[in-house]
């Protein structure tokens, strides 16, 4: 995760992550036509991350997100999230999402024998797929 000031945040070890490409199918029936016309619209991406916290970067990140939401920093401040996908054949691809906007950020302290985790839900206007090698 890269914050608006360009600072890269290693929030911790990622336990799980998911990204959903949001698409809608539009349908319209016109008089005199026997089938619906269809089109699709890209609505952006949404995702979730669960991270085991390792350092003070996570509280700093939460404070930066909160500051933007409260308009204490410029509203056009951009967060970028990059996910790397590694495949069994040695190939890889990255999905870079920007700008990102965040929902609730729960921090879970389950117990003395559990790791502290942070969950992020986010949405992004767009995402690029970048291929690292041709494998």
């Amino acid at each position: 995760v890269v914050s608006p000031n360009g600072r890269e945040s290693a929030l911790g070890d990622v336990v799980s992550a998911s990204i959903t490409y949001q698409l809608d199918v539009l349908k319209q029936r016109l008089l005199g036509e026997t089938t619906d016309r269809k089109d699709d619209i890209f609505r952006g991406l949404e995702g979730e991350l669960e991270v085991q916290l390792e350092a003070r970067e996570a509280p700093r990140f939460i404070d930066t997100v909160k500051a933007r939401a409260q308009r204490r920093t410029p509203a056009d401040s951009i967060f970028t999230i990059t996910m790397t996908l590694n495949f069994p054949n040695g190939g890889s691809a990255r999905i870079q999402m920007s700008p990102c906007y965040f929902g609730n950020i729960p921090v879970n302290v389950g117990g003395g024998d559990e790791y502290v985790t942070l969950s992020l839900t986010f949405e992004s206007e767009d995402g690029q797929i970048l291929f690292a090698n041709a494998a």
Side-chain angles (χ1 to χ4, degrees), residues 1 9 11 20 36 48-49 53 57-58 68 71 75-77 84-85 90-91 94 102 105-107 114 116-118:
V1 177
S9 295
L11 300 176
T20 302
D36 291 348
E48 296 179 3
L49 290 170
L53 304 186
E57 290 300 316
R68 183 182 68 176
R71 302 298 189 250
D76 63 350
S77 296
T84 302
L85 307 173
R94 290 183 300 156
F102 300 94
I105 304 176
V107 177
E114 296 181 29
V116 177
T117 60
L118 172 137

Side-chain angles (χ1 to χ4, degrees), residues 17-132:
S18 69
I19 298 173
T20 302
Y21 285 79
Q22 298 175 311
L23 296 150
D24 286 337
V25 176
L26 300 178
K27 302 173 190 171
Q28 185 175 25
R29 171 65 61 103
L30 299 175
L31 292 175
E33 293 188 6
T34 58
T35 59
D36 291 348
R37 290 188 184 184
K38 294 186 174 39
D39 196 3
D40 49 12
I41 296 175
F42 177 66
R43 302 259 186 213
L45 294 102
E46 66 180 4
E48 296 179 3
L49 290 170
E50 183 178 354
V51 180
Q52 288 180 354
L53 304 186
E54 293 181 348
R56 291 187 295 186
E57 290 300 316
R60 287 186 182 128
F61 169 78
I62 293 169
D63 195 49
T64 305
V65 170
K66 180 179 157 223
R68 183 182 68 176
Q70 292 177 323
R71 302 298 189 250
R72 290 188 289 140
T73 60
D76 63 350
S77 296
I78 296 175
F79 286 90
T80 302
I81 295 177
T82 303
M83 176 185 280
T84 302
L85 307 173
N86 294 313
F87 302 104
N89 68 356
S92 63
R94 290 183 300 156
I95 302 172
Q96 188 172 32
M97 297 155 282
S98 184
C100 292
Y101 302 91
F102 300 94
N104 295 333
I105 304 176
V107 177
N108 183 23
V109 183
D113 60 346
E114 296 181 29
Y115 293 105
V116 177
T117 60
L118 172 137
S119 298
L120 286 178
T121 58
F122 63 90
E123 292 194 22
S124 177
E125 293 175 8
D126 203 359
Q128 282 186 299
I129 298 177
L130 309 168
F131 296 98

